[in-house]
Amino acid sequence: MKKYVAELFGTFWLVLGGCGSAVLAAAFPQVGIGLLGVSLAFGLTVLTMAFAIGHISGCHLNPAVSIGLWAGGRFPAKELLPYIIAQVVGGVIAGAVLFAIASGKAGFDVSAGFASNGFDTHSPGGYSMHAALITEVVMTMMFLIVIMGATDKRAPQGLAPIAIGLCLTLIHLISIPVTNTSVNPARSTGVAVFVGDWAVAQLWLFWVAPIVGAVLGAVIYKFIGSENK
């Protein structure tokens, strides 16, 4: 039970820290942190939580990562559902806290996006569903390759959180203009449920694409990372 609670709090921190930076600080007058700051915020949430709870739950914080690690032979199938439930609950609680904070400002409009992921007219850069699908699959695929490689017993020990956190930062630097960057169904769900409407209607892509990408990444790493016999 402790590892499920750890995943809940870890995902809570990821969504609150990452989406919170986008909603509260990205465009703050004159001193807004912009896309670079939001990208760094997402990376820092994973880096800090990896050190805090990695030894408790493995610090997945992401249903796609859990499924990918299962596909890569690193995680038992019997724990998939409890992990995913804990991650989604943590994400939604973070969305609720962020909503409570953001709605304290005059003129707040949740329908403006609330850091939700989207495509077509709801893509920050107006990218199509096709572009969004490719982006989310490829970014999550690379994320899993880095995760599995950095946590391989042959990799330098103790540095995995840094590599994984920086990888997530890089992913955001590339893909925020396309989809607002998901690569994490729990992150997408945590804010989409408060926007409703289009955000929920497009949420399917931000479950399907990251999961497909994660499985692809795991399969690729199992091949390239297998030791020669």
Side-chain angles (χ1 to χ4, degrees):
M1 180 59 68
K2 289 181 180 179
K3 56 190 172 185
Y4 305 143
V5 175
E7 283 294 303
L8 186 153
F9 277 102
T11 312
F12 170 86
W13 185 233
L14 182 147
V15 175
L16 184 62
C19 295
S21 70
V23 172
L24 305 175
F28 192 75
Q30 299 179 353
V31 292
I33 62 174
L35 298 187
L36 177 60
V38 173
S39 299
L40 185 59
F42 271 101
L44 288 173
T45 62
V46 171
L47 189 154
T48 53
M49 272 296 136
F51 280 116
I53 67 168
H55 55 287
I56 300 171
S57 68
C59 192
H60 298 184
L61 317 185
N62 183 337
V65 168
S66 296
I67 292 170
L69 291 175
W70 163 75
R74 300 271 193 93
F75 191 67
K78 66 180 181 181
E79 294 190 356
L80 271 179
L81 185 58
Y83 262 59
I84 291 171
I85 291 171
Q87 292 155 358
V88 172
V89 170
V92 172
I93 293 172
V97 171
L98 180 57
F99 182 85
I101 295 169
S103 60
K105 180 180 179 181
F108 169 70
D109 180 12
V110 71
S111 66
F114 197 53
S116 289
N117 303 113
F119 51 85
D120 290 333
T121 58
H122 302 292
S123 157
Y127 288 83
S128 68
M129 181 183 74
H130 178 71
L133 186 66
I134 294 172
T135 299
E136 291 292 327
V137 169
V138 173
M139 294 299 133
T140 316
M141 178 185 75
M142 295 308 300
F143 195 33
L144 257 290
I145 291 173
V146 170
I147 289 171
M148 292 189 68
T151 56
D152 194 302
K153 65 180 184 295
R154 297 166 292 171
Q157 297 301 297
L159 299 179
I162 298 172
I164 295 167
L166 288 176
C167 180
L168 189 60
T169 298
L170 176 58
I171 285 169
H172 279 78
L173 287 172
I174 297 167
S175 59
I176 285 178
V178 184
T179 62
N180 229 7
T181 310
S182 172
V183 302
N184 184 339
R187 168 262 188 268
S188 299
T189 304
V191 289
V193 295
F194 292 92
V195 178
D197 192 25
W198 64 266
V200 171
Q202 295 189 354
L203 186 59
W204 65 270
L205 187 144
F206 302 104
W207 274 86
V208 173
I211 289 172
V212 170
V215 171
L216 284 174
V219 170
I220 290 169
Y221 189 79
K222 278 187 74 175
F223 173 71
I224 65 174
S226 60
E227 298 184 64
N228 293 326
K229 301 297 184 182

